[in-house]
């Protein structure tokens, strides 16, 4: 350490911790959006580092589509219990039952879009004024222009043409009543950075990320998992395969990767050699070229 | 450093370089970035497919690398980039963050935004047109924002038959501005982004050029001395009080080191009170550390229990920053609503927020010829001016030239809460 250089992972870590502390300082009622996926796990780890030895001074919130991999929920509850964290769970099913959203029908039905309504309702219910998200700019084109501090109007919407300029590391979280911010501490991380950081820090992740046997079917080149609520098209069929998740989201749209990666080292090598982005396996993004941009405007994660 | 066996060699030892790119639509800037991403294999198959589809829809024969960076739908439709977009790629030596900013006159604010966090600026010049007004404008903004390294890429060399004299001529056109602009490190590279000459691979068409390729330069430029290692500064960001049994009396001051190297045992002063104490320990979740330096995020513990809150600054006893309520700065105006002379604004400086009044406009800079205009005092969107601000409380600052963190402010409109100005203290 004699030449005071810092590796890029430590620089990204320092940046993320700085952003998370800004949220703790600038907002009255922040929350951390926790999905059980690797990005939110890393974000929670960074939040613990940011405030240590204080316990993370705000709750996590999980918007549960009900279409989960069961392992994710167990993992979430264990993590919170072992670190003294708090998690609020809000169910998309409740929004459906209340008639606020209509469930999609057909073989490609997904609850991914419906989450937005549940999320915005929960933000209003708890009067959250900032929600930390694990979004990264490298994930998708529309995210490449996202700010660290992303302003949302009182309808929870994002206006890509009217974003506040963000200079140096001075973040402007000032807002009017009813407005809130989404904050993305991992903005500058790539998928590879996240994996390398998990490796460097020995962070626990759900077993789903490692290769396991699972019943899957192939839809337009994407491998999807068997689940009670999934409908097969005529020419589709279930088969047992060795697969792992590159992302963990709603089971109805999370593509699985055929893989033999059993360790973090294997995964890192696989990611290094991969020829498609992790969102490439997300069926929800394939709906149109501007799919993500549309969902973000409406208040998606 | 980790002693683990590294599954992807080099990756855990990489440095981070942030750079910005400036140039107009026609300079081939998007093509250059597309080329860097493509040749360094940062483009994935599904992105490639999307790109092919999009190019075909537009009736283009070749894959249009520029489409990679044009993120939002409005931009794709109009064929222009309207905001700062961030791109990422890595080689075994470094990880790169590109702040891709549009170069039109009206988008100075985006360029300033992108430049504010950059170690390096790439400025594109069309080999056929040479140094233009906008080249000067881009270089000026780079120097105003204190970017330590500037690479001038003379692009489209394929269209001037890869001629050495064209390149040399452009280099000498730039010479007179070097001094006015006060940029330490300027380098020139002849490239063709479209054909790939000297971007990642060495050109076979320009044997007269024996310098490094663009990527080689990005990989090797020394960025370690870019942070301020002279002035020790630690703005307090958050006060940590665990209120847990085992840390009952714990009180820590969390923040990001803004300057200098800190070691436990040193005498420090806390501003604004000026109370002197000793830095007892530097804490992190994984244990105490021996020293802290920029840009680390750490927690300071002090020997005395004093009343410290966010916005205070920990500094060495003998090397303190300026303390004052009135200071001069260069400002770039970012809002369509012009600056109001005598108007009140919210000022954010490091971790403190206070109110301020615009007291004076000294001059406006014509960024196309760098002339100072002392007559016209109206400062509108995308304009740059030297002004004087008075704040409601004293701030602790250094000049921007010395320290980018303690020398910068943002100006916020009290009514809309929008960020309307970016200031660099002189």
């Amino acid at each position: 350490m004699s030449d005071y250089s810092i590796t890029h992972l430590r620089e990204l870590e320092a940046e993320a911790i700085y952003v998370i502390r800004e949220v703790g300082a600038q907002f009255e009622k922040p929350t951390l959006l926790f999905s059980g996926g690797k990005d939110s796990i890393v974000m929670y780890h960074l939040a613990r580092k940011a405030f240590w030895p204080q316990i993370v001074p705000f709750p996590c919130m999980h918007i549960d589509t009900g279409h989960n991999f069961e392992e994710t929920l167990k993992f979430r509850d264990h993590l919170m219990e072992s670190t003294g964290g708090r998690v609020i769970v809000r169910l998309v099913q409740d929004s459906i039952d209340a008639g606020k959203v209509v469930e999609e029908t057909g073989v490609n039905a997904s609850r991914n879009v419906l989450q937005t309504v549940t999320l915005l309702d929960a933000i209003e219910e708890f009067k959250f004024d900032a929600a930390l998200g694990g979004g990264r700019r490298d994930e998708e084109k529309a995210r490449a222009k996202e700010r660290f501090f992303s302003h949302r109007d009182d309808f929870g919407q994002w206006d890509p043409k009217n974003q506040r300029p963000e200079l140096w590391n001075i973040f402007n979280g000032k807002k009017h009543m009813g407005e809130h911010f989404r904050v993305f501490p991992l903005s500058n991380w790539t998928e590879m950075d996240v994996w390398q950081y998990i490796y460097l820090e020995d962070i626990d992740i759900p077993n789903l990320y490692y290769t396991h046997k699972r019943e899957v079917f192939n839809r337009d080149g994407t491998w999807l998992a068997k689940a009670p609520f999934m409908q097969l098209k005529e020419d589709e069929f279930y088969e047992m395969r060795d697969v792992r998740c590159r992302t963990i989201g709603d089971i109805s749209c999370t593509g699985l990767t055929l893989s033999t990666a059993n360790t973090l080292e294997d995964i890192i090598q696989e990611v290094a050699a991969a020829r498609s982005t992790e969102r490439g396996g997300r069926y929800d993004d394939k709906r149109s070229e501007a799919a993500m941009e549309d969902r973000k405007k409406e208040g998606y994660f | 450093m980790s002693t683990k066996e590294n599954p992807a060699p080099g990756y855990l030892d990489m440095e981070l370089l942030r750079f910005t790119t400036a140039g107009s639509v026609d300079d081939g800037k998007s093509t250059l970035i597309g080329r860097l991403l493509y040749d360094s294999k940062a483009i994935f198959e599904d992105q490639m497919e999307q790109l092919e589809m999009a190019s075909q829809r537009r009736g283009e024969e070749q894959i249009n690398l520029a489409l990679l960076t044009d993120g939002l739908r409005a931009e794709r439709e109009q064929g222009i980039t309207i905001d700062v977009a961030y791109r990422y790629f890595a080689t075994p030596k470094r990880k790169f963050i590109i702040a891709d900013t549009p170069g039109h006159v009206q988008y100075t604010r985006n360029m300033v935004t992108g430049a504010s966090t950059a170690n390096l600026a790439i400025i594109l010049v069309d080999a056929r047109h040479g140094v233009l007004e906008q080249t000067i404008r881009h270089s000026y903004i780079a120097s105003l924002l204190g970017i330590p390294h500037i690479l001038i890429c003379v692009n489209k060399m394929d269209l001037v038959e890869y001629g050495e004299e064209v390149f040399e001529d452009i280099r000498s056109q730039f010479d007179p501005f070097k001094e006015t602009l006060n940029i330490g490190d300027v380098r020139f590279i002849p490239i063709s982004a479209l054909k790939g000459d000297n971007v990642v691979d060495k050109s076979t068409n320009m044997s007269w050029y024996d310098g490094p390729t663009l990527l080689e330069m990005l990989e090797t430029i020394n960025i370690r001395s870019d942070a301020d290692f002279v002035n020790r500064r630690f703005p307090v960001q958050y006060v940590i009080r665990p209120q847990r049994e085992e840390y009952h009396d714990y009180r820590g001051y969390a923040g990001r080191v803004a300057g200098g190297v800190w070691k436990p045992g040193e005498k420090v002063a806390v501003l604004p009170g000026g109370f002197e104490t000793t830095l007892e320990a530097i804490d992190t979740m994984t244990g105490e550390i021996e020293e802290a330096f920029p840009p680390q995020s750490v927690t300071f513990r002090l020997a005395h229990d004093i009343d410290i809150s966010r916005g205070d600054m920990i500094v060495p006893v003998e090397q303190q920053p300026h303390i004052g309520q009135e200071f001069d700065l260069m400002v770039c105006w970012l809002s369509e609503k012009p600056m109001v002379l005598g108007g009140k604004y919210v000022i954010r400086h490091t971790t403190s927020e206070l109110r301020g009044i615009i007291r004076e406009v000294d001059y406006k800079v014509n960024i196309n010829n760098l002339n100072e205009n002392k007559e016209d005092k109206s400062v509108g969107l995308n304009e740059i001016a030297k002004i004087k601000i008075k704040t409601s409380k004293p701030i602790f600052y250094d000049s921007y030239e010395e320290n980018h963190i303690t020398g910068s402010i943002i100006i916020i409109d009290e009514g809309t809460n929008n960020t309307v100005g970016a200031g660099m203290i002189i």
Side-chain angles (χ1 to χ4, degrees), chain A residues 1-9 11-15 17-19 21-22 24-26 45 48-55 57 137-138 141-142 144-147 158 160-176 179 187-190 192-193 196 199-202 264-265 268-269 271-272 274-277 279-281 289-290 293-294 297, chain B residues 1-2 4-5 7-8 11-16 18 41 43-47 50 54 57 68 71-76 81-88 95 97 109 112-113 116-117 145 224 229 237-238 240-242 244 247 250 254-256 261 263 284-285 291 293 295-299 310 334 346 348 351 353 400 408-410 412 415-419 422-424:
Chain A
M1 297 278 256
S2 57
D3 62 352
Y4 304 114
S5 66
I6 182 167
T7 66
H8 84 287
L9 285 176
E11 188 168 343
L12 291 173
E13 176 190 54
E15 178 181 82
I17 289 174
Y18 175 81
V19 172
R21 285 171 173 168
E22 277 303 289
Q26 288 196 31
H45 180 80
R48 288 181 58 220
K49 285 196 155 193
F51 300 108
W52 186 92
Q54 192 176 332
I55 285 170
R137 289 175 181 150
D138 83 317
K141 272 198 273 192
K145 309 204 164 183
E146 186 62 276
R147 304 292 196 261
W158 181 63
K161 281 195 182 159
N162 192 24
Q163 297 195 81
R164 292 180 185 175
E166 213 160 71
L167 295 108
W168 300 290
N169 283 309
I170 314 180
F171 298 111
N172 174 4
K174 291 186 84 67
K175 61 189 179 325
H176 291 114
E179 298 174 345
S187 287
N188 281 330
W189 298 50
T190 60
M192 188 64 164
D193 295 330
Q196 288 277 357
Y199 176 73
L200 186 68
E201 292 277 299
D202 269 327
L264 270 178
E265 286 88 337
I268 289 167
Q269 274 167 357
V271 172
R275 295 305 299 142
S276 76
T277 64
R279 288 206 83 90
E289 203 189 342
E293 190 180 336
D294 290 339
K297 279 186 189 163
Chain B
M1 193 74 284
S2 170
K4 289 178 182 180
E5 201 177 317
Y11 203 88
L12 296 177
D13 296 319
M14 282 166 26
E15 275 182 321
L16 182 60
R18 299 172 199 249
K41 304 192 172 48
I43 298 176
F44 293 110
E45 267 171 15
D46 53 333
Q47 288 173 316
Q50 277 188 10
R57 262 203 306 278
L68 257 182
L72 301 176
R73 177 154 50 190
E75 295 172 343
R76 285 196 298 278
T81 315
I82 52 172
D83 202 341
V84 188
Y86 295 88
R87 309 284 157 195
Y88 304 83
K95 170 184 163 128
I97 301 178
R109 83 170 200 172
V112 169
T113 304
S116 71
T117 52
L145 270 293
R224 279 185 199 164
F229 280 92
Q237 193 185 2
Y238 190 93
I240 291 177
R241 306 200 58 187
R244 293 160 66 180
Y247 295 100
Y250 186 95
R256 201 170 182 193
V261 180
K263 296 184 171 81
T284 70
M285 190 167 87
E291 51 188 8
F293 51 90
Q296 291 178 327
S297 285
V298 293
T299 301
R310 174 175 164 89
L334 311 169
V346 174
R348 254 180 209 274
T351 54
E353 182 185 301
Y400 183 77
S408 57
I409 64 162
I410 61 168
I412 298 165
T416 63
N417 290 330
N418 277 330
T419 304
M424 290 136 283

Side-chain angles (χ1 to χ4, degrees), chain A residues 108 219-220 222 224 233 253 281-287:
Chain A
N108 285 331
R219 174 168 297 165
D220 304 333
T222 304
L224 296 169
K233 287 185 194 167
C253 62
R282 292 285 288 243
Y283 206 83
D284 46 334
D285 289 337
K286 288 196 175 172
R287 294 179 171 194

Side-chain angles (χ1 to χ4, degrees), chain B residues 355-368:
Chain B
R355 300 182 76 210
I357 299 178
I358 315 281
R359 286 294 286 264
E360 236 173 71
V361 177
D362 189 358
Y363 59 81
K364 249 176 27 174
V365 179
N366 179 333
I367 57 171
N368 293 322

Side-chain angles (χ1 to χ4, degrees), chain B residues 320-364:
Chain B
Q320 305 208 356
H322 303 284
I323 301 173
Q325 280 179 263
E326 216 170 83
F327 46 93
D328 293 317
L329 60 152
M330 297 303 294
V331 70
C332 174
W333 202 249
L334 311 169
S335 166
E336 274 149 27
K337 215 160 103 188
M339 184 172 81
V340 179
L341 187 57
K344 291 196 180 83
Y345 293 91
V346 174
I347 308 291
R348 254 180 209 274
H349 170 253
T350 65
T351 54
S352 62
E353 182 185 301
L354 53 177
R355 300 182 76 210
I357 299 178
I358 315 281
R359 286 294 286 264
E360 236 173 71
V361 177
D362 189 358
Y363 59 81
K364 249 176 27 174

Side-chain angles (χ1 to χ4, degrees), chain A residues 37-230:
Chain A
K38 65 177 191 313
D39 297 328
S40 61
I41 293 168
V42 164
M43 184 164 61
Y44 181 65
H45 180 80
L46 291 162
R48 288 181 58 220
K49 285 196 155 193
F51 300 108
W52 186 92
Q54 192 176 332
I55 285 170
V56 178
F58 42 79
C60 297
M61 183 161 72
H62 183 202
I63 300 301
D64 185 345
T65 62
H67 292 175
N68 294 296
F69 293 96
E70 214 186 298
E71 296 93 324
T72 318
L73 303 185
K74 281 193 193 142
F75 181 89
R76 175 195 74 196
D77 294 340
H78 174 74
L79 178 64
M80 292 301 150
E81 209 185 291
S82 60
T83 55
R86 247 186 338 128
V87 64
I88 295 167
V89 180
R90 281 296 172 268
L91 306 170
V92 172
Q93 187 63 49
D94 290 344
S95 305
I96 295 171
D97 294 346
K100 289 188 166 171
V101 290
V102 180
E103 179 127 47
E104 293 181 12
T105 54
V107 286
N108 285 331
S110 160
R111 288 183 167 182
N112 204 39
V113 182
L114 309 186
Q115 290 181 89
T116 304
V117 173
T118 315
L119 171 65
L120 293 178
D121 281 354
I123 286 173
E124 203 171 309
E125 177 189 349
F126 292 98
K127 302 270 176 289
F128 286 131
D129 54 0
L132 284 158
R136 308 189 321 261
R137 289 175 181 150
D138 83 317
E139 281 179 80
E140 213 277 338
K141 272 198 273 192
R143 285 210 196 268
K145 309 204 164 183
E146 186 62 276
R147 304 292 196 261
F148 277 94
F149 271 47
S150 179
H151 177 257
R152 303 302 158 105
D153 64 19
D154 45 2
F155 297 101
Q157 297 191 330
W158 181 63
D159 179 1
K161 281 195 182 159
N162 192 24
Q163 297 195 81
R164 292 180 185 175
E166 213 160 71
L167 295 108
W168 300 290
N169 283 309
I170 314 180
F171 298 111
N172 174 4
K174 291 186 84 67
K175 61 189 179 325
H176 291 114
M177 283 286 284
E179 298 174 345
H180 75 275
F181 274 80
R182 300 291 172 81
V183 180
F184 302 101
L186 305 185
S187 287
N188 281 330
W189 298 50
T190 60
E191 184 187 16
M192 188 64 164
D193 295 330
V194 171
W195 282 117
Q196 288 277 357
Y197 187 71
I198 289 170
Y199 176 73
L200 186 68
E201 292 277 299
D202 269 327
I203 302 171
D204 254 347
I205 51 168
N207 287 328
L208 290 166
Y209 282 112
Y210 300 104
T211 298
H212 56 284
K213 285 212 186 300
R214 185 180 287 275
E215 274 196 274
V216 293
F217 65 98
N218 195 306
R219 174 168 297 165
D220 304 333
T222 304
W223 291 98
L224 296 169
K226 181 180 180 178
F229 38 81
M230 295 295 275

Side-chain angles (χ1 to χ4, degrees), chain B residues 123-136:
Chain B
I123 292 170
L124 277 161
V125 173
D126 188 324
R128 296 168 302 174
H129 305 136
V131 171
L132 301 175
E133 226 174 59
Q134 68 160 9
T135 317
I136 303 306

